[in-house]
Amino acid sequence: MASSFFTSFTHSSLRPTAACPSVQRPNPAVVASAAGLRFGRELSVGRSSFYEVLGIPMTASCREIKAAYRKLARTCHPDVVAENSAEEFIKIQAAYLTLSDPDKRADYDREIYKAQLVSVSGLSSRTGVSSYSGYCTRRNWESDQCW
Amino acid sequence: MAEPIYTVASDSETTGEEKTTSTFPEIAVGIDIGTSQCSIAVWNGSQVELLKNTRNQKIMRSYVTFKDETPSGGVSNELSHEYDMLSGAAIFNMKRLIGRVDTDPVVRASKSLPFLVQTLDIGVRPFVAALVNNVWRSTTPEEVLAIFIVELKVMAEYQLKRPIRNVVLTIPVSFSRFQLTRVERACAMAGLQVRLMPEPTAVALLYAQQQQQAVHEGMGSGSEKIALIFNMGAGYCDVAVSAVGGGVSQIRALAGSPIGGEDLLQNTMKYLLPNSESIFSHRGIDEIRRMGLLRVVTQDAIHKLSYQSSVQIDVNLGNGSKLRKVLSREEFEMVNSKVFEKCENLIKQCLHDARVGTEDLSDVVVVGGCSYIPKIRNLLMEISKKKALHEGIDPLEAAVSGAALEGAIASGIGDPFGSLDLLSIQVTPLAIGIRADGNSFIPIIPKNTTMPARKELVFTTVQDNQSEALIVVYEGEETRAEENHLLGYFKIIGIPPAPKGIPEITICMDIDSSNMLRVLAWATLPGGQHPATPYMEVKMPTVDDGHGWCAEALHGKYGATMELVTLRKKG
């Protein structure tokens, strides 16, 4: 139960206010508990960086990013996988949108670096992750219309 | 409303016993019903094959004639002459009429066709009728389309010796979701589950397959290629930019408009016979016949102008009126300059939206009936700064072939040679959003967003203690709400009492993998975690007829009492 909960929450937390009822609709309790735990520890457990989503190192070239995206799309796109994989693909798409744009990628890299600095310098990791999460949210919105 | 759920039926519908004996998996066929021509294709196990009718035609005319007891379409029916189609008894160009209201300029332009398109200009569906034995018999574009699809289905079932349940049907980029529901309804009437695919994206998939094949054969480099796809038929002009590599066609932008060969034809007819509209306004049988004569001769002249610089027109329109004229290619291009200008704008807009410069373009693929027109070809070469256009894709078979490929891929069948290791990643052709900030259209899922998609925006109230808000959902690209396509509306209730501008009303839009649109809404106060009332979830479109005056009536009744504005968050 716990693992499936984290999986579904991780996906939905890519979006601004996290709880989108269509995702967790089968179980309203999950919506409620997800919202309640929003700033709790599961953020540090569940969130993976865009690089992790695409399975590439931070040093990956533009060509490698595209290749990784296409490879993942070929296995995770809902047209390929009959089960509900929309969540998974939306996540991959969001990662690709940021990393395939040199400016956005540079911004994103800076944020990751900052977040790392914060946690290294002994501040609570919770603060660090929260600010990173806030950033990430905003980033998704701005990348909406861009390629 | 029929839900656009696409299922591959073979696994779920056959018993375990049948499964083991089944030798032929259910493969969705591809259908391209154009404004003027149509075709049907299927993956035959090793390649895409277009099916032929009993008269050995791969490309058939899109029309349904009502002159006999049972209506028959261009698949089975044989015209004794082109004029047969123009007697008023046949309905054609249904693709330009489906899901449109009588205030639509495209519908008004259809009024000069030989069958009856009656408009009352109030935003309801037009009255469409065929002339049979001196009687105007009413029908609807959906009915005509359904009759036509049934003919194609029967033909394919006979040849493939199996029932057809799933189809991939190509549609114009500019079709609204309301129009898509009409097309789905026509398919449901024909007993088919349908997956809809914008035409240029089908062409892009075919292009992706060709590139992939070239790599397998050691011909291609395998690196990413950016292709500009231009598809112009009789009714619609569509453009796509696709990034193709590794068998994946990733659509980067789409643009489309209801302009096509029909507009070229009508403009040229008006030029050849300037008073033609007044002559034909009465719609007597004689007038219909004369209009048919003019149409055939003009069509013929336009075809010839693709290969020669001028054409001699000589036709007796009856009643002592004769038309004798030499029409040059320059005149034709001048008369239609606005149409070509529009094409140019669409191409430029699509390249801009895709953030692609001409230097990035690997290939320019031009398909559709209008692809033979020199002006179109020159336009594309000029804009793309290319000396040649891509060859190796049949302009008339491209869309249907791509649809058949998509059908095979979606059916989950494999191909030992990897010819089906393909994927088409689609984007939204139009923005979807709500009316807010007065009369503005605020997109929530922008145009050219990769699907499946989920986006949300937060709005707030305009009145103190406002407890309800009207969510009016539109699709389109215009800044004023009412100039877009209305998809539906609902009310969110139980907004917690607070001064205006404080409550947070979240509108979330979700397009799933079967292209179903859901709109979700909930209201909270800042800092609150749980909405005070249950979430609202509405499948769109909900409007049953495309009349924009629903929105007008709502506005008239409720004014600003239930409005929303976008919430600008501090910091």
Side-chain angles (χ1 to χ4, degrees), chain A residues 15 17 20-21 38 66 70 74 78-79 87 93 141 144 146-147, chain B residues 195 224 245-246 252 355 421 450 454-456 508 513 529 535:
Chain A
R15 292 178 311 280
T17 49
C20 185
R38 189 170 331 163
K66 280 183 181 171
R70 276 201 292 264
R74 289 279 301 278
D79 281 356
E87 289 301 315
Q93 184 67 29
W141 278 113
D144 286 348
C146 313
W147 286 91
Chain B
R195 180 192 187 98
E224 184 183 69
R252 303 228 341 212
R355 298 227 213 139
D421 288 346
T450 298
R454 182 176 308 120
K455 305 274 179 207
E456 58 184 47
C508 173
S513 49
Q529 303 289 0
Y535 297 96

PDB file of all heavy atoms in Angstrom, chain A residues 15 17 20-21 38 66 70 74 78-79 87 93 141 144 146-147, chain B residues 195 224 245-246 252 355 421 450 454-456 508 513 529 535:
ATOM      1  N   ARG A  15       2.812  18.771 -10.269  1.00  0.00           N
ATOM      2  CA  ARG A  15       1.959  19.901 -10.615  1.00  0.00           C
ATOM      3  C   ARG A  15       1.785  20.822  -9.419  1.00  0.00           C
ATOM      4  O   ARG A  15       1.997  20.413  -8.283  1.00  0.00           O
ATOM      5  CB  ARG A  15       0.601  19.385 -11.069  1.00  0.00           C
ATOM      6  CG  ARG A  15       0.670  18.655 -12.387  1.00  0.00           C
ATOM      7  CD  ARG A  15      -0.698  18.146 -12.721  1.00  0.00           C
ATOM      8  NE  ARG A  15      -1.277  17.458 -11.574  1.00  0.00           N
ATOM      9  CZ  ARG A  15      -0.967  16.233 -11.259  1.00  0.00           C
ATOM     10  NH1 ARG A  15      -0.114  15.569 -11.974  1.00  0.00           N
ATOM     11  NH2 ARG A  15      -1.516  15.653 -10.214  1.00  0.00           N
ATOM     12  N   THR A  17      -0.547  22.374  -7.298  1.00  0.00           N
ATOM     13  CA  THR A  17      -1.129  22.142  -5.995  1.00  0.00           C
ATOM     14  C   THR A  17      -1.348  20.666  -5.694  1.00  0.00           C
ATOM     15  O   THR A  17      -2.155  20.301  -4.867  1.00  0.00           O
ATOM     16  CB  THR A  17      -2.459  22.895  -5.825  1.00  0.00           C
ATOM     17  OG1 THR A  17      -3.239  22.614  -6.986  1.00  0.00           O
ATOM     18  CG2 THR A  17      -2.243  24.366  -5.682  1.00  0.00           C
ATOM     19  N   CYS A  20      -4.732  16.314  -7.723  1.00  0.00           N
ATOM     20  CA  CYS A  20      -5.666  16.356  -8.835  1.00  0.00           C
ATOM     21  C   CYS A  20      -6.575  15.162  -8.684  1.00  0.00           C
ATOM     22  O   CYS A  20      -6.137  14.027  -8.775  1.00  0.00           O
ATOM     23  CB  CYS A  20      -4.917  16.298 -10.153  1.00  0.00           C
ATOM     24  SG  CYS A  20      -6.020  16.495 -11.536  1.00  0.00           S
ATOM     25  N   PRO A  21      -7.834  15.385  -8.405  1.00  0.00           N
ATOM     26  CA  PRO A  21      -8.704  14.280  -8.032  1.00  0.00           C
ATOM     27  C   PRO A  21      -8.792  13.191  -9.091  1.00  0.00           C
ATOM     28  O   PRO A  21      -9.073  12.070  -8.756  1.00  0.00           O
ATOM     29  CB  PRO A  21     -10.056  14.943  -7.812  1.00  0.00           C
ATOM     30  CG  PRO A  21      -9.936  16.331  -8.293  1.00  0.00           C
ATOM     31  CD  PRO A  21      -8.500  16.676  -8.379  1.00  0.00           C
ATOM     32  N   ARG A  38       1.663  16.968   2.353  1.00  0.00           N
ATOM     33  CA  ARG A  38       2.343  17.599   1.236  1.00  0.00           C
ATOM     34  C   ARG A  38       3.759  18.056   1.576  1.00  0.00           C
ATOM     35  O   ARG A  38       4.672  17.936   0.793  1.00  0.00           O
ATOM     36  CB  ARG A  38       1.534  18.775   0.722  1.00  0.00           C
ATOM     37  CG  ARG A  38       2.142  19.269  -0.566  1.00  0.00           C
ATOM     38  CD  ARG A  38       1.277  20.263  -1.275  1.00  0.00           C
ATOM     39  NE  ARG A  38      -0.139  20.074  -1.029  1.00  0.00           N
ATOM     40  CZ  ARG A  38      -1.017  21.026  -1.286  1.00  0.00           C
ATOM     41  NH1 ARG A  38      -0.620  22.177  -1.742  1.00  0.00           N
ATOM     42  NH2 ARG A  38      -2.290  20.842  -1.059  1.00  0.00           N
ATOM     43  N   LYS A  66      17.714  13.787 -26.070  1.00  0.00           N
ATOM     44  CA  LYS A  66      16.668  13.463 -27.046  1.00  0.00           C
ATOM     45  C   LYS A  66      16.532  11.954 -27.210  1.00  0.00           C
ATOM     46  O   LYS A  66      15.423  11.424 -27.271  1.00  0.00           O
ATOM     47  CB  LYS A  66      16.997  14.111 -28.394  1.00  0.00           C
ATOM     48  CG  LYS A  66      16.617  15.576 -28.434  1.00  0.00           C
ATOM     49  CD  LYS A  66      16.886  16.170 -29.793  1.00  0.00           C
ATOM     50  CE  LYS A  66      16.504  17.646 -29.790  1.00  0.00           C
ATOM     51  NZ  LYS A  66      16.920  18.330 -30.991  1.00  0.00           N
ATOM     52  N   ARG A  70      13.219   9.725 -26.405  1.00  0.00           N
ATOM     53  CA  ARG A  70      12.550   8.900 -27.417  1.00  0.00           C
ATOM     54  C   ARG A  70      12.474   7.442 -26.970  1.00  0.00           C
ATOM     55  O   ARG A  70      11.464   6.782 -27.164  1.00  0.00           O
ATOM     56  CB  ARG A  70      13.291   9.005 -28.748  1.00  0.00           C
ATOM     57  CG  ARG A  70      12.869  10.214 -29.546  1.00  0.00           C
ATOM     58  CD  ARG A  70      13.201  10.050 -31.001  1.00  0.00           C
ATOM     59  NE  ARG A  70      14.630  10.053 -31.220  1.00  0.00           N
ATOM     60  CZ  ARG A  70      15.316  11.148 -31.568  1.00  0.00           C
ATOM     61  NH1 ARG A  70      14.698  12.283 -31.747  1.00  0.00           N
ATOM     62  NH2 ARG A  70      16.607  11.089 -31.754  1.00  0.00           N
ATOM     63  N   ARG A  74       9.045   5.422 -26.241  1.00  0.00           N
ATOM     64  CA  ARG A  74       8.724   4.169 -26.924  1.00  0.00           C
ATOM     65  C   ARG A  74       8.274   3.085 -25.951  1.00  0.00           C
ATOM     66  O   ARG A  74       7.640   2.114 -26.363  1.00  0.00           O
ATOM     67  CB  ARG A  74       9.949   3.677 -27.704  1.00  0.00           C
ATOM     68  CG  ARG A  74      10.273   4.525 -28.927  1.00  0.00           C
ATOM     69  CD  ARG A  74       9.387   4.129 -30.090  1.00  0.00           C
ATOM     70  NE  ARG A  74       9.580   2.739 -30.397  1.00  0.00           N
ATOM     71  CZ  ARG A  74      10.573   2.269 -31.133  1.00  0.00           C
ATOM     72  NH1 ARG A  74      11.418   3.092 -31.675  1.00  0.00           N
ATOM     73  NH2 ARG A  74      10.685   0.994 -31.362  1.00  0.00           N
ATOM     74  N   PRO A  78       1.322   6.053 -23.487  1.00  0.00           N
ATOM     75  CA  PRO A  78       0.075   5.286 -23.338  1.00  0.00           C
ATOM     76  C   PRO A  78      -0.315   4.508 -24.598  1.00  0.00           C
ATOM     77  O   PRO A  78      -1.006   3.502 -24.500  1.00  0.00           O
ATOM     78  CB  PRO A  78      -0.972   6.359 -23.023  1.00  0.00           C
ATOM     79  CG  PRO A  78      -0.209   7.520 -22.510  1.00  0.00           C
ATOM     80  CD  PRO A  78       1.148   7.470 -23.133  1.00  0.00           C
ATOM     81  N   ASP A  79       0.138   4.957 -25.762  1.00  0.00           N
ATOM     82  CA  ASP A  79      -0.173   4.202 -26.976  1.00  0.00           C
ATOM     83  C   ASP A  79       0.574   2.874 -27.016  1.00  0.00           C
ATOM     84  O   ASP A  79       0.171   1.953 -27.716  1.00  0.00           O
ATOM     85  CB  ASP A  79       0.212   5.013 -28.227  1.00  0.00           C
ATOM     86  CG  ASP A  79      -0.824   6.075 -28.537  1.00  0.00           C
ATOM     87  OD1 ASP A  79      -1.842   6.115 -27.829  1.00  0.00           O
ATOM     88  OD2 ASP A  79      -0.609   6.859 -29.481  1.00  0.00           O
ATOM     89  N   GLU A  87       0.351   9.233 -16.485  1.00  0.00           N
ATOM     90  CA  GLU A  87       1.114   9.918 -15.438  1.00  0.00           C
ATOM     91  C   GLU A  87       2.606   9.851 -15.723  1.00  0.00           C
ATOM     92  O   GLU A  87       3.330  10.828 -15.661  1.00  0.00           O
ATOM     93  CB  GLU A  87       0.848   9.242 -14.097  1.00  0.00           C
ATOM     94  CG  GLU A  87      -0.533   9.484 -13.553  1.00  0.00           C
ATOM     95  CD  GLU A  87      -0.799  10.951 -13.361  1.00  0.00           C
ATOM     96  OE1 GLU A  87       0.088  11.632 -12.821  1.00  0.00           O
ATOM     97  OE2 GLU A  87      -1.871  11.419 -13.760  1.00  0.00           O
ATOM     98  N   GLN A  93       7.674  13.828 -20.125  1.00  0.00           N
ATOM     99  CA  GLN A  93       7.534  14.993 -21.009  1.00  0.00           C
ATOM    100  C   GLN A  93       8.000  16.269 -20.297  1.00  0.00           C
ATOM    101  O   GLN A  93       8.699  17.100 -20.886  1.00  0.00           O
ATOM    102  CB  GLN A  93       6.056  15.109 -21.438  1.00  0.00           C
ATOM    103  CG  GLN A  93       5.768  16.218 -22.423  1.00  0.00           C
ATOM    104  CD  GLN A  93       6.411  15.960 -23.778  1.00  0.00           C
ATOM    105  OE1 GLN A  93       6.607  14.827 -24.176  1.00  0.00           O
ATOM    106  NE2 GLN A  93       6.771  17.019 -24.488  1.00  0.00           N
ATOM    107  N   TRP A 141       5.168  25.315 -15.065  1.00  0.00           N
ATOM    108  CA  TRP A 141       4.191  26.208 -15.662  1.00  0.00           C
ATOM    109  C   TRP A 141       4.783  27.002 -16.792  1.00  0.00           C
ATOM    110  O   TRP A 141       4.181  27.192 -17.819  1.00  0.00           O
ATOM    111  CB  TRP A 141       3.632  27.135 -14.584  1.00  0.00           C
ATOM    112  CG  TRP A 141       2.575  26.420 -13.870  1.00  0.00           C
ATOM    113  CD1 TRP A 141       2.591  26.010 -12.585  1.00  0.00           C
ATOM    114  CD2 TRP A 141       1.370  25.938 -14.430  1.00  0.00           C
ATOM    115  NE1 TRP A 141       1.469  25.320 -12.299  1.00  0.00           N
ATOM    116  CE2 TRP A 141       0.703  25.251 -13.406  1.00  0.00           C
ATOM    117  CE3 TRP A 141       0.785  26.013 -15.677  1.00  0.00           C
ATOM    118  CZ2 TRP A 141      -0.514  24.654 -13.608  1.00  0.00           C
ATOM    119  CZ3 TRP A 141      -0.439  25.411 -15.876  1.00  0.00           C
ATOM    120  CH2 TRP A 141      -1.078  24.749 -14.848  1.00  0.00           C
ATOM    121  N   ASP A 144       5.266  25.225 -20.174  1.00  0.00           N
ATOM    122  CA  ASP A 144       4.074  24.777 -20.888  1.00  0.00           C
ATOM    123  C   ASP A 144       4.106  25.011 -22.378  1.00  0.00           C
ATOM    124  O   ASP A 144       3.852  24.142 -23.174  1.00  0.00           O
ATOM    125  CB  ASP A 144       2.844  25.543 -20.367  1.00  0.00           C
ATOM    126  CG  ASP A 144       2.459  25.035 -19.020  1.00  0.00           C
ATOM    127  OD1 ASP A 144       2.986  23.992 -18.634  1.00  0.00           O
ATOM    128  OD2 ASP A 144       1.649  25.688 -18.383  1.00  0.00           O
ATOM    129  N   CYS A 146       6.541  26.056 -24.300  1.00  0.00           N
ATOM    130  CA  CYS A 146       7.831  26.151 -24.973  1.00  0.00           C
ATOM    131  C   CYS A 146       8.340  24.776 -25.339  1.00  0.00           C
ATOM    132  O   CYS A 146       7.888  23.773 -24.832  1.00  0.00           O
ATOM    133  CB  CYS A 146       8.839  26.824 -24.058  1.00  0.00           C
ATOM    134  SG  CYS A 146       8.168  28.274 -23.319  1.00  0.00           S
ATOM    135  N   TRP A 147       9.277  24.806 -26.218  1.00  0.00           N
ATOM    136  CA  TRP A 147       9.902  23.545 -26.604  1.00  0.00           C
ATOM    137  C   TRP A 147      11.350  23.562 -26.269  1.00  0.00           C
ATOM    138  O   TRP A 147      12.031  24.501 -26.416  1.00  0.00           O
ATOM    139  CB  TRP A 147       9.695  23.288 -28.090  1.00  0.00           C
ATOM    140  CG  TRP A 147       8.313  22.887 -28.309  1.00  0.00           C
ATOM    141  CD1 TRP A 147       7.260  23.689 -28.594  1.00  0.00           C
ATOM    142  CD2 TRP A 147       7.783  21.579 -28.199  1.00  0.00           C
ATOM    143  NE1 TRP A 147       6.125  22.971 -28.682  1.00  0.00           N
ATOM    144  CE2 TRP A 147       6.410  21.673 -28.447  1.00  0.00           C
ATOM    145  CE3 TRP A 147       8.356  20.348 -27.903  1.00  0.00           C
ATOM    146  CZ2 TRP A 147       5.584  20.562 -28.417  1.00  0.00           C
ATOM    147  CZ3 TRP A 147       7.533  19.256 -27.887  1.00  0.00           C
ATOM    148  CH2 TRP A 147       6.147  19.366 -28.145  1.00  0.00           C
TER     149      TRP A 147
ATOM    150  N   ARG B 195     -10.518   6.091 -33.625  1.00  0.00           N
ATOM    151  CA  ARG B 195      -9.439   6.890 -33.079  1.00  0.00           C
ATOM    152  C   ARG B 195      -9.185   7.959 -34.124  1.00  0.00           C
ATOM    153  O   ARG B 195      -9.015   7.653 -35.311  1.00  0.00           O
ATOM    154  CB  ARG B 195      -8.208   5.997 -32.905  1.00  0.00           C
ATOM    155  CG  ARG B 195      -6.993   6.677 -32.337  1.00  0.00           C
ATOM    156  CD  ARG B 195      -5.789   5.738 -32.516  1.00  0.00           C
ATOM    157  NE  ARG B 195      -4.616   6.232 -31.869  1.00  0.00           N
ATOM    158  CZ  ARG B 195      -4.191   5.851 -30.656  1.00  0.00           C
ATOM    159  NH1 ARG B 195      -4.878   4.977 -29.971  1.00  0.00           N
ATOM    160  NH2 ARG B 195      -3.092   6.336 -30.142  1.00  0.00           N
ATOM    161  N   GLU B 224      18.226  12.776 -35.746  1.00  0.00           N
ATOM    162  CA  GLU B 224      16.906  13.402 -35.767  1.00  0.00           C
ATOM    163  C   GLU B 224      16.719  14.276 -37.016  1.00  0.00           C
ATOM    164  O   GLU B 224      17.626  14.987 -37.425  1.00  0.00           O
ATOM    165  CB  GLU B 224      16.743  14.275 -34.523  1.00  0.00           C
ATOM    166  CG  GLU B 224      15.362  14.876 -34.428  1.00  0.00           C
ATOM    167  CD  GLU B 224      15.229  15.809 -33.233  1.00  0.00           C
ATOM    168  OE1 GLU B 224      15.855  16.880 -33.252  1.00  0.00           O
ATOM    169  OE2 GLU B 224      14.506  15.458 -32.323  1.00  0.00           O
ATOM    170  N   GLY B 245      12.833  10.739 -35.330  1.00  0.00           N
ATOM    171  CA  GLY B 245      14.083  10.009 -35.072  1.00  0.00           C
ATOM    172  C   GLY B 245      13.775   8.743 -34.309  1.00  0.00           C
ATOM    173  O   GLY B 245      12.846   8.720 -33.489  1.00  0.00           O
ATOM    174  N   GLY B 246      14.502   7.683 -34.591  1.00  0.00           N
ATOM    175  CA  GLY B 246      14.314   6.428 -33.873  1.00  0.00           C
ATOM    176  C   GLY B 246      12.899   5.897 -33.955  1.00  0.00           C
ATOM    177  O   GLY B 246      12.408   5.267 -33.032  1.00  0.00           O
ATOM    178  N   ARG B 252       5.765  18.819 -33.126  1.00  0.00           N
ATOM    179  CA  ARG B 252       6.182  19.997 -32.370  1.00  0.00           C
ATOM    180  C   ARG B 252       5.183  21.134 -32.504  1.00  0.00           C
ATOM    181  O   ARG B 252       5.078  21.964 -31.611  1.00  0.00           O
ATOM    182  CB  ARG B 252       7.567  20.440 -32.819  1.00  0.00           C
ATOM    183  CG  ARG B 252       8.552  19.303 -32.643  1.00  0.00           C
ATOM    184  CD  ARG B 252       9.840  19.573 -31.976  1.00  0.00           C
ATOM    185  NE  ARG B 252      10.327  20.912 -31.880  1.00  0.00           N
ATOM    186  CZ  ARG B 252      11.629  21.202 -31.890  1.00  0.00           C
ATOM    187  NH1 ARG B 252      12.523  20.252 -32.031  1.00  0.00           N
ATOM    188  NH2 ARG B 252      12.035  22.436 -31.750  1.00  0.00           N
ATOM    189  N   ARG B 355       9.297  26.589 -33.067  1.00  0.00           N
ATOM    190  CA  ARG B 355      10.622  27.165 -32.827  1.00  0.00           C
ATOM    191  C   ARG B 355      11.663  26.517 -33.739  1.00  0.00           C
ATOM    192  O   ARG B 355      12.722  26.069 -33.299  1.00  0.00           O
ATOM    193  CB  ARG B 355      11.031  26.956 -31.375  1.00  0.00           C
ATOM    194  CG  ARG B 355      10.116  27.639 -30.396  1.00  0.00           C
ATOM    195  CD  ARG B 355      10.971  28.375 -29.414  1.00  0.00           C
ATOM    196  NE  ARG B 355      10.414  28.421 -28.095  1.00  0.00           N
ATOM    197  CZ  ARG B 355      11.162  28.252 -27.002  1.00  0.00           C
ATOM    198  NH1 ARG B 355      12.431  27.948 -27.083  1.00  0.00           N
ATOM    199  NH2 ARG B 355      10.624  28.396 -25.816  1.00  0.00           N
ATOM    200  N   ASP B 421       7.826  -0.481 -35.383  1.00  0.00           N
ATOM    201  CA  ASP B 421       8.418   0.077 -34.162  1.00  0.00           C
ATOM    202  C   ASP B 421       8.348   1.590 -34.249  1.00  0.00           C
ATOM    203  O   ASP B 421       9.358   2.281 -34.398  1.00  0.00           O
ATOM    204  CB  ASP B 421       9.877  -0.386 -34.004  1.00  0.00           C
ATOM    205  CG  ASP B 421       9.934  -1.853 -33.637  1.00  0.00           C
ATOM    206  OD1 ASP B 421       8.876  -2.396 -33.253  1.00  0.00           O
ATOM    207  OD2 ASP B 421      11.011  -2.445 -33.742  1.00  0.00           O
ATOM    208  N   THR B 450       1.940  18.699 -25.581  1.00  0.00           N
ATOM    209  CA  THR B 450       2.006  17.257 -25.810  1.00  0.00           C
ATOM    210  C   THR B 450       0.913  16.534 -25.037  1.00  0.00           C
ATOM    211  O   THR B 450       0.645  16.855 -23.876  1.00  0.00           O
ATOM    212  CB  THR B 450       3.388  16.733 -25.387  1.00  0.00           C
ATOM    213  OG1 THR B 450       4.357  17.381 -26.209  1.00  0.00           O
ATOM    214  CG2 THR B 450       3.508  15.236 -25.588  1.00  0.00           C
ATOM    215  N   ARG B 454      -1.939  17.350 -18.530  1.00  0.00           N
ATOM    216  CA  ARG B 454      -2.749  17.845 -17.407  1.00  0.00           C
ATOM    217  C   ARG B 454      -2.173  19.170 -16.951  1.00  0.00           C
ATOM    218  O   ARG B 454      -0.983  19.290 -16.702  1.00  0.00           O
ATOM    219  CB  ARG B 454      -2.764  16.855 -16.263  1.00  0.00           C
ATOM    220  CG  ARG B 454      -3.654  17.351 -15.114  1.00  0.00           C
ATOM    221  CD  ARG B 454      -3.760  16.354 -13.997  1.00  0.00           C
ATOM    222  NE  ARG B 454      -4.155  15.068 -14.514  1.00  0.00           N
ATOM    223  CZ  ARG B 454      -3.412  13.975 -14.377  1.00  0.00           C
ATOM    224  NH1 ARG B 454      -2.273  14.016 -13.749  1.00  0.00           N
ATOM    225  NH2 ARG B 454      -3.824  12.842 -14.866  1.00  0.00           N
ATOM    226  N   LYS B 455      -3.039  20.185 -16.907  1.00  0.00           N
ATOM    227  CA  LYS B 455      -2.586  21.514 -16.502  1.00  0.00           C
ATOM    228  C   LYS B 455      -3.644  22.131 -15.608  1.00  0.00           C
ATOM    229  O   LYS B 455      -4.831  21.815 -15.731  1.00  0.00           O
ATOM    230  CB  LYS B 455      -2.429  22.433 -17.727  1.00  0.00           C
ATOM    231  CG  LYS B 455      -1.539  21.904 -18.809  1.00  0.00           C
ATOM    232  CD  LYS B 455      -0.105  22.240 -18.552  1.00  0.00           C
ATOM    233  CE  LYS B 455       0.778  21.660 -19.649  1.00  0.00           C
ATOM    234  NZ  LYS B 455       2.117  21.408 -19.173  1.00  0.00           N
ATOM    235  N   GLU B 456      -3.198  23.047 -14.758  1.00  0.00           N
ATOM    236  CA  GLU B 456      -4.200  23.755 -13.971  1.00  0.00           C
ATOM    237  C   GLU B 456      -3.802  25.206 -13.768  1.00  0.00           C
ATOM    238  O   GLU B 456      -2.627  25.573 -13.860  1.00  0.00           O
ATOM    239  CB  GLU B 456      -4.438  23.042 -12.636  1.00  0.00           C
ATOM    240  CG  GLU B 456      -3.196  22.896 -11.785  1.00  0.00           C
ATOM    241  CD  GLU B 456      -3.478  22.100 -10.515  1.00  0.00           C
ATOM    242  OE1 GLU B 456      -4.112  21.038 -10.600  1.00  0.00           O
ATOM    243  OE2 GLU B 456      -3.056  22.563  -9.447  1.00  0.00           O
ATOM    244  N   CYS B 508      -8.566  22.521 -13.333  1.00  0.00           N
ATOM    245  CA  CYS B 508      -7.582  21.569 -13.840  1.00  0.00           C
ATOM    246  C   CYS B 508      -8.162  20.929 -15.089  1.00  0.00           C
ATOM    247  O   CYS B 508      -9.328  20.558 -15.113  1.00  0.00           O
ATOM    248  CB  CYS B 508      -7.299  20.508 -12.774  1.00  0.00           C
ATOM    249  SG  CYS B 508      -6.248  19.165 -13.332  1.00  0.00           S
ATOM    250  N   SER B 513      -5.114   9.537 -22.573  1.00  0.00           N
ATOM    251  CA  SER B 513      -4.493   8.960 -23.760  1.00  0.00           C
ATOM    252  C   SER B 513      -5.505   8.674 -24.865  1.00  0.00           C
ATOM    253  O   SER B 513      -5.133   8.510 -26.018  1.00  0.00           O
ATOM    254  CB  SER B 513      -3.763   7.680 -23.381  1.00  0.00           C
ATOM    255  OG  SER B 513      -4.617   6.857 -22.622  1.00  0.00           O
ATOM    256  N   GLN B 529      -6.237  23.135   2.965  1.00  0.00           N
ATOM    257  CA  GLN B 529      -5.792  21.974   2.204  1.00  0.00           C
ATOM    258  C   GLN B 529      -6.956  21.292   1.495  1.00  0.00           C
ATOM    259  O   GLN B 529      -6.800  20.789   0.405  1.00  0.00           O
ATOM    260  CB  GLN B 529      -5.110  20.956   3.137  1.00  0.00           C
ATOM    261  CG  GLN B 529      -3.944  21.523   3.890  1.00  0.00           C
ATOM    262  CD  GLN B 529      -2.747  21.774   2.993  1.00  0.00           C
ATOM    263  OE1 GLN B 529      -2.764  21.524   1.792  1.00  0.00           O
ATOM    264  NE2 GLN B 529      -1.692  22.301   3.585  1.00  0.00           N
ATOM    265  N   TYR B 535     -15.062  17.863  -5.295  1.00  0.00           N
ATOM    266  CA  TYR B 535     -14.520  18.280  -6.584  1.00  0.00           C
ATOM    267  C   TYR B 535     -15.596  18.154  -7.653  1.00  0.00           C
ATOM    268  O   TYR B 535     -16.454  17.286  -7.583  1.00  0.00           O
ATOM    269  CB  TYR B 535     -13.364  17.369  -6.994  1.00  0.00           C
ATOM    270  CG  TYR B 535     -12.173  17.401  -6.080  1.00  0.00           C
ATOM    271  CD1 TYR B 535     -12.013  16.448  -5.085  1.00  0.00           C
ATOM    272  CD2 TYR B 535     -11.183  18.362  -6.247  1.00  0.00           C
ATOM    273  CE1 TYR B 535     -10.909  16.459  -4.247  1.00  0.00           C
ATOM    274  CE2 TYR B 535     -10.077  18.380  -5.417  1.00  0.00           C
ATOM    275  CZ  TYR B 535      -9.938  17.434  -4.419  1.00  0.00           C
ATOM    276  OH  TYR B 535      -8.845  17.454  -3.611  1.00  0.00           O
TER     277      TYR B 535
END
